[in-house]
Amino acid sequence: MLKRHWLLLFTICWWQLTIQAQSSIIPRPVAYRPDAGVFVLDADTRLLLTEPALAGAAQLLQRYVQEAGVPVAVAASSGGNAISLKVDSNRVPDLEGYLLQVTSTAITLTGHDLAGVLHGIQSLRQLWQPGNARLRIPACEMTDHPRFGYRSMALDVSRHFFSIDFLQQYIDLLALYKFNTFHWHLTDDQGWRIEIKKYPRLQSVAAWRSATLIGHKKETPHRFDGKRYGGYYTQQEVKQLVRYAAQRGITIIPEIEMPGHALAALAAYPQLGCTGGPYAAARFWGVFDDVFCAGNDSVFTFLQDVLDEVMYLFPSTRIHIGGDECPKTRWQQCARCQQRMKALSLKDEHALQSWFVQRIEQYLNSRDRQIIGWDEILEGGLAPNATVMSWRGEEGGLQAAQQRHPVIMTPETHVYFDYYQSRRNREPVAAGHYTPLQKVYSYRPAATLADSLQRYIIGLEGQAWSEYLVSEQQARYMIFPRAMALAEVAWSPDSLRQYDHFLSRLRGQTRLLQQYGITADNRFDEVVLDKVTTRPGAVLLTLSSTAPEGAIRYTLDGSMPGLNSLHYTQPVVLTRSATLKAQAFDRLGRAVGSVLEQPVTVHKATGAAVQLTNKPLARWDPGSEALVNGIQGTHRYNDAQWLGFSGSDGEAIIDLGSEQSIGQVRMNWLNYHWQRIWAPVVLEIAVADEGKSFKTVFTQTHFGINGINPVKAVIGTLPVRYIRIKAINKGLLPPGEYGAGSQALLMIDEVIVE
Ligand code: ACM
Ligand code: ZN
């Protein structure tokens, strides 16, 4: 028995050592073989430089080693312990690939190209274990190359401004995880952030807004901080950052938004808008009607001048020209825009936008640059050489690939890091939705696209829109570690992707992340409510946690869960209303993350059959049973509880299974006009006995609360088997309202029958 224990212990230790050696590396390398021995990097080690083209890479490695506390010299030859850097595209056939060989006496890093050498250096950093003026690097051989050639993170610096120090740190982090592109979203409605020498008012006017919204845009009335806010990057700073990034293998792609998201530029040069203004940089978030006039040639003169200076600053082949969220309201009213459409026989304003984008494309193509545009540039016809960035899901990207255009996938369902990563109340206000780490990691890009078209998917990008990234610290919190999950999706072979394995390596990254101000945080391990199912009269809650070797403990009596509370081993079955409180604990009994608190209401319709007349919008369709599963959707409505009907009416019939006498029917309707969510125009509740002859018992036409509107219908003593809820959708949003002209979303959750 004792012997077997030792053997087991030995096996575990050996296994942990192997894992540990590998564990530090994100994204997971294509092939990794641990060998016996350790290379000790100390003051006697030399960085061998034989190829002048790798001088920058050698200096970078030298700097990293020095930062880790070891003074190390670059030399042309060496007698002993040395690290050599090489490029050999025969030995390493894949673009950006590298071969890293570590023995106890030598490290050889061979890249396919400079990029490959730089990626290999990052792997080396993740492998070494610091201590006592030396770094220990376990012997191994690693063969590695990326899955996608374009691996990028974006940052919006318009909604909030980020310092150059922060941007350098961001680029360091991107390089560490083998991204090769930084998409710099430089202009938007709320501020223009790049110095353009020919247009000084972009600096003195467009870079500034008079105040900023406090809290989430959905909260009304809107409140503002009254503080002038802004700033811009000088051309000198831009040039330095471009160089800083290039030294680390990162290309910076600038984005100059057009024709929409242009309010800040219009504030500086009002003659570029359809109405002539006056305009002011926006103080809050959203989509604004005032855009560049497509009928005015001076708009193109302005944009070409701007792009000339941008091209001078950024050597990137691709330039992002935006193209998303451009309302056509002004163009429809503008004589010059209408004249342009007539002169060019353009059939509608979408065709006008397509013409606008193509005109800019021609200009950039004539200077050997290519455009990237958001997927809206598909509408009205794609510019001939454009790369499409697919953000409203993958649909646009798939269409573009079918048209044989390069595609960058950045679906907001999986890689928008301004969305919530946890559903806990303590989270800082975020844009909305729910994109936990695991969901990012689970992303399978273009999985439905034919093999023959896969080569058009050139890569992936994660988004960091900064409406709610109110500080640099919060930006770090929202972006990491989710960007690391994306890095692995973009780099590692699909077959090597395994979430548990990723998490074990992520835990090994704490020390490196701390260097960049990212604090270790195990919120992704905390207990989550995975699934809610029902049986008539019962709610079943499935919980999970990724805490290694951990346990989930829970209570149902309102007390805080501790180590002696009920041990979760199978779904919790509730046949009476209660609040579930659950906490994950690690192997040593320490709490992991925060407590999950979930109130559950078990009522007469719990688990009843629900029949819907109209289908909810796919994104807001958790299944009709969510209406009667005992869980009430919250004001963040990212909890997979709310059913949302876009433009269509909501009608549900709930079957209690048998005639009963019921006292009341309650339900919640969501009302957030700034999110295009409108409570019903008319709500009617009817009940019926076995005979199904419905009798209206309740009508409501006024929903005054911005947020959750509770409704309570008192039924009386009728015998009831069926309950019918009929809600008339607001339909097309009227002029003057946010989202005017688009469909209202009607959202309901939990119908409680008591
Ligand atoms: C976008 O998120 N509007 C591209
Ligand atoms: Zn116009």
Side-chain angles (χ1 to χ4, degrees):
M1 187 64 190
L2 207 59
K3 243 187 192 157
R4 248 206 302 183
H5 256 94
W6 280 112
L7 186 65
L8 189 68
L9 200 64
F10 173 78
T11 314
I12 289 173
C13 286
W14 174 82
W15 179 78
Q16 283 197 330
L17 277 174
T18 344
I19 290 286
Q20 213 156 31
Q22 157 121 316
S23 79
S24 45
I25 306 224
I26 291 177
R28 189 172 181 176
V30 171
Y32 174 86
R33 194 197 67 213
D35 287 332
V38 170
F39 180 95
V40 177
L41 202 172
D42 59 21
D44 295 331
T45 304
R46 293 288 170 267
L47 301 185
L48 268 190
L49 180 63
T50 50
E51 300 181 33
L54 296 180
Q59 277 159 16
L60 190 66
L61 176 57
Q62 183 184 30
R63 178 150 1 130
Y64 288 141
V65 174
Q66 284 169 352
E67 279 169 9
V70 183
V72 71
V74 177
S77 68
S78 153
N81 172 323
I83 304 178
S84 8
L85 307 181
K86 300 180 192 168
V87 165
D88 184 342
S89 58
N90 292 321
R91 189 93 201 276
V92 182
D94 296 288
L95 284 176
E96 296 188 72
Y98 64 91
L99 169 66
L100 179 62
Q101 294 158 301
V102 180
T103 69
S104 51
T105 52
I107 294 180
T108 310
L109 170 58
T110 313
H112 172 90
D113 42 22
L114 173 60
V117 173
L118 291 170
H119 297 318
I121 288 173
Q122 300 298 342
S123 289
L124 200 53
R125 284 180 77 198
Q126 295 191 28
L127 274 178
W128 70 46
Q129 291 147 18
N132 228 351
R134 63 183 51 165
L135 303 171
R136 295 166 57 81
I137 304 166
C140 65
E141 182 169 303
M142 199 183 301
T143 314
D144 204 8
H145 61 265
R147 175 179 177 192
F148 290 105
Y150 181 99
R151 303 174 308 280
S152 171
M153 275 302 306
L155 183 66
D156 165 15
V157 295
S158 173
R159 278 57 176 262
H160 282 98
F161 185 78
F162 295 88
S163 67
I164 289 287
D165 277 353
F166 177 87
L167 295 177
Q168 287 185 350
Q169 203 177 62
Y170 193 45
I171 283 163
D172 287 337
L173 280 158
L174 298 193
L176 178 56
Y177 297 113
K178 302 190 177 76
F179 287 95
N180 60 7
T181 308
F182 167 45
H183 165 192
W184 202 2
H185 184 78
L186 283 162
T187 73
D188 214 301
D189 299 302
Q190 294 79 5
W192 182 285
R193 304 273 175 249
I194 177 171
E195 179 187 23
I196 300 295
K197 295 197 189 280
K198 194 158 183 181
Y199 294 97
R201 285 175 61 81
L202 290 176
Q203 285 72 256
S204 60
V205 178
W208 303 92
R209 61 178 179 253
S210 61
T212 302
L213 183 75
I214 299 171
H216 198 282
K217 186 183 70 163
K218 71 185 185 185
E219 302 299 343
T220 57
H222 286 158
R223 292 175 303 135
F224 296 91
D225 65 4
K227 292 183 200 145
R228 184 172 136 94
Y229 182 94
Y232 63 90
Y233 306 101
T234 65
Q235 294 206 349
Q236 189 59 25
E237 287 172 323
V238 170
K239 270 191 252 176
Q240 280 168 1
L241 195 71
V242 167
R243 196 174 327 122
Y244 185 90
Q247 285 163 353
R248 287 153 183 78
I250 306 269
T251 300
I252 305 187
I253 294 186
E255 180 179 356
I256 304 296
E257 268 269 20
M258 62 189 81
H261 286 297
L263 206 42
L266 296 184
Y269 297 99
Q271 68 275 24
L272 304 179
C274 290
T275 65
Y279 307 105
R283 301 174 303 155
F284 64 99
W285 329 123
V287 174
F288 298 88
D289 283 342
D290 288 300
V291 302
F292 286 121
C293 176
N296 179 352
D297 281 333
S298 62
V299 165
F300 294 93
T301 310
F302 167 82
L303 289 173
Q304 288 172 7
D305 289 342
V306 166
L307 289 169
D308 282 345
E309 294 193 29
V310 166
M311 284 185 279
Y312 161 75
L313 294 168
F314 294 92
S316 63
T317 312
R318 289 184 166 95
I319 307 276
H320 202 310
I321 54 89
D324 61 323
E325 300 180 319
C326 177
K328 309 299 186 284
T329 322
R330 294 289 180 264
W331 290 359
Q332 284 160 355
Q333 310 285 324
C334 171
R336 282 191 286 196
C337 285
Q338 292 302 314
Q339 174 53 32
R340 176 89 76 194
M341 284 167 59
K342 210 163 128 197
L344 299 169
S345 303
L346 300 173
K347 84 171 194 307
D348 59 16
E349 286 74 16
H350 291 295
L352 183 59
Q353 163 148 344
S354 170
W355 170 83
F356 189 116
V357 169
Q358 293 194 35
R359 180 162 166 171
I360 294 294
E361 182 185 62
Q362 274 172 19
Y363 186 72
L364 290 176
N365 285 174
S366 74
R367 278 146 184 80
D368 287 331
R369 306 296 181 106
Q370 304 288 324
I371 66 162
I372 302 178
W374 299 107
D375 58 52
E376 285 93 331
I377 68 167
L378 280 149
E379 295 161 8
L382 206 43
N385 305 310
T387 298
V388 171
M389 199 168 261
S390 189
W391 74 277
R392 296 176 299 176
E394 285 204 326
E395 195 41 48
L398 298 177
Q399 271 180 40
Q402 260 133 23
Q403 296 178 37
R404 292 170 165 66
H405 280 252
V407 171
I408 296 156
M409 287 296 191
T410 181
E412 60 170 332
T413 48
H414 288 79
V415 296
Y416 269 46
F417 303 148
D418 51 330
Y419 291 178
Y420 285 101
Q421 57 194 310
S422 155
R423 286 176 171 141
R424 297 289 198 274
N425 282 331
R426 51 113 214 252
E427 287 296 302
V429 171
H433 300 288
Y434 175 55
T435 308
L437 183 65
Q438 187 157 14
K439 182 161 188 192
V440 179
Y441 197 78
S442 74
Y443 178 42
R444 298 212 130 64
T448 59
L449 187 67
D451 284 350
S452 59
L453 297 175
Q454 286 289 344
R455 66 195 158 97
Y456 293 102
I457 311 297
I458 63 169
L460 311 182
E461 182 173 295
Q463 300 300 323
W465 300 100
S466 63
E467 288 92 337
Y468 301 105
L469 304 186
V470 296
S471 67
E472 294 180 345
Q473 187 48 35
Q474 196 167 326
R476 290 185 198 102
Y477 172 76
M478 295 300 280
I479 299 169
F480 294 93
R482 287 186 288 184
M484 295 157 72
L486 173 65
E488 187 145 311
V489 180
W491 178 283
S492 307
D494 205 26
S495 58
L496 285 185
R497 250 199 293 155
Q498 214 184 321
Y499 188 57
D500 284 352
H501 199 274
F502 169 73
L503 289 183
S504 76
R505 283 173 285 122
L506 175 55
R507 293 187 178 99
Q509 296 277 325
T510 308
R511 175 181 51 82
L512 267 172
L513 287 170
Q514 275 168 349
Q515 276 185 34
Y516 298 104
I518 293 165
T519 42
D521 187 331
N522 53 6
R523 83 198 88 100
F524 49 80
D525 280 331
E526 68 191 9
V527 55
V528 291
L529 177 58
D530 249 359
K531 205 168 68 168
V532 181
T533 52
T534 55
R535 294 199 293 254
V539 178
L540 286 74
L541 305 173
T542 305
L543 309 178
S544 73
S545 159
T546 50
E549 301 170 65
I552 298 172
R553 303 271 174 181
Y554 69 97
T555 66
L556 295 168
D557 61 3
S559 64
M560 292 304 271
L563 287 167
N564 296 322
S565 302
L566 295 165
H567 186 193
Y568 176 87
T569 52
Q570 58 187 28
V572 180
V573 182
L574 285 174
T575 52
R576 270 189 298 173
S577 298
T579 295
L580 169 89
K581 292 189 181 176
Q583 170 78 60
F585 293 94
D586 71 9
R587 191 167 45 92
L588 300 174
R590 293 172 303 198
V592 176
S594 61
V595 177
L596 167 75
E597 278 195 46
Q598 182 60 64
V600 180
T601 312
V602 180
H603 50 88
K604 287 192 166 170
T606 301
V610 179
Q611 193 195 325
L612 297 176
T613 306
N614 297 318
K615 240 191 115 41
L617 198 64
R619 177 172 213 169
W620 300 110
D621 188 3
S624 61
E625 63 277 13
L627 267 189
V628 290
N629 68 355
I631 310 283
Q632 301 195 43
T634 67
H635 70 280
R636 282 186 183 160
Y637 59 93
N638 63 356
D639 32 28
Q641 295 301 324
W642 295 91
L643 273 66
F645 300 87
S646 174
S648 60
D649 296 336
E651 184 173 324
I653 296 176
I654 297 167
D655 179 356
L656 299 179
S658 62
E659 277 184 5
Q660 310 194 21
S661 105
I662 61 174
Q664 59 181 30
V665 176
R666 292 188 282 133
M667 71 197 68
N668 290 333
W669 293 95
L670 207 55
N671 203 38
Y672 279 127
H673 292 188
W674 283 88
Q675 302 286 83
R676 302 187 177 102
I677 299 168
W678 286 62
V681 177
V682 181
L683 167 67
E684 210 181 84
I685 300 171
V687 295
D689 57 12
E690 299 279 359
K692 268 202 166 179
S693 58
F694 281 98
K695 203 171 135 188
T696 300
V697 291
F698 180 88
T699 311
Q700 184 170 332
T701 53
H702 180 72
F703 295 82
I705 301 170
N706 182 67
I708 294 175
N709 283 249
V711 164
K712 182 166 106 178
V714 176
I715 305 301
T717 54
L718 301 169
V720 172
R721 171 159 176 189
Y722 299 99
I723 299 163
R724 188 183 68 201
I725 297 157
K726 236 176 164 168
I728 308 299
N729 192 308
K730 177 79 178 170
L732 281 186
L733 294 174
E737 295 293 348
Y738 184 75
S742 59
Q743 299 282 5
L745 196 57
L746 176 71
M747 294 182 79
I748 179 178
D749 185 37
E750 201 61 13
V751 178
I752 296 176
V753 179
E754 286 173 329

